[in-house]
Amino acid sequence: MSVVIGEISYTNIMPFFYHLDRKMLGEHHCQFVPQVPAQLNNEMALGRIDIGGISSFAYAQHAQAFTLLPNLSVTSYGAVNSIFLFSKVPISELNEKKVALTWSSASSVHLLKIILEHFHSLSISYTTMNPNVKSMLREHEACLLIGDDAIVAKREYGQSLYHYDLGELWYEQTGLPMTFAVFAVRNETLRDHPSLVGLIYRSFLESKRESELKHYQPMIDAILKTHGGKRSFWEHYFQKLCNDFGEEEQKGLSYYFDLLYKMNYLSQPINKLHIWDGAMSK
């Protein structure tokens, strides 16, 4: 039986995948399946993917079925540079207005709801759409884009639209990091294949370390060919992201979950993050 690894195609999660020994993992019956975040969240919930980097909100929805892997996340302390609210008007003028949401993320969508409804006390009408600035703003005052879609939109519309970095807005209000994605494994997979999960975990960790050690340069070379942009942007982008998941990142994530429960976006409170304590011993 193979273990299925979900692989998000966004650049922000590439440090964990770029330097993987895929041949070795394939010989150990690991299978990689490319997904966008929303698809991966759904496939893991259905049990068709065993392990991967999922939206933090998706973990909260299925916390009893998943175990988190330590030291791995997509987190920002302040600006994340790839999750933006683009708006025709200042954020303070969005009350009673319509906002279009990308369908490709859960964490960022709910972070935006916290920012608009809790921090700014605004009443908003939301529509979920395909991530395209022009079509989203045709009948909406603002739109949320994430990942590479947001990076490209910032290049094209950064001068003509108001734009707000959600990581920066969160940090200004809380002083805490925001963890957008966590690495999770299904409990059944961890129970049935602990040694293989350990191998996959250490492979993720080693890819992360090598990415950081090389200052992301080989990965940036590849990104420039596929995504364009300037090297200086990508260097700044990856240096600003936090790839860890320690005590402070967990504190920020727990506060995010607390707010979502208070706002009735989670049906149950997340009183404890279930983190694998045997990660390095297997």
Side-chain angles (χ1 to χ4, degrees), residues 183-202:
F183 277 74
V185 57
R186 289 187 57 81
N187 292 338
E188 292 91 337
T189 306
L190 185 58
R191 181 195 64 216
D192 296 341
H193 307 283
S195 296
L196 185 51
V197 170
L199 176 64
I200 296 167
Y201 169 73
R202 291 190 297 274

Side-chain angles (χ1 to χ4, degrees), residues 15 18-19 207-216 219:
Y18 190 76
H19 294 286
S207 180
K208 166 189 149 178
R209 288 171 178 163
E210 190 165 352
S211 295
E212 293 172 346
L213 183 65
K214 294 180 177 179
H215 303 288
Y216 308 100
M219 191 174 71

Side-chain angles (χ1 to χ4, degrees), residues 73-94:
S73 79
V74 177
T75 294
S76 74
Y77 283 73
V80 65
N81 295 303
S82 59
I83 301 174
F84 289 103
L85 175 71
F86 295 94
S87 180
K88 300 174 186 176
V89 299
I91 195 170
S92 59
E93 297 179 15
L94 285 176

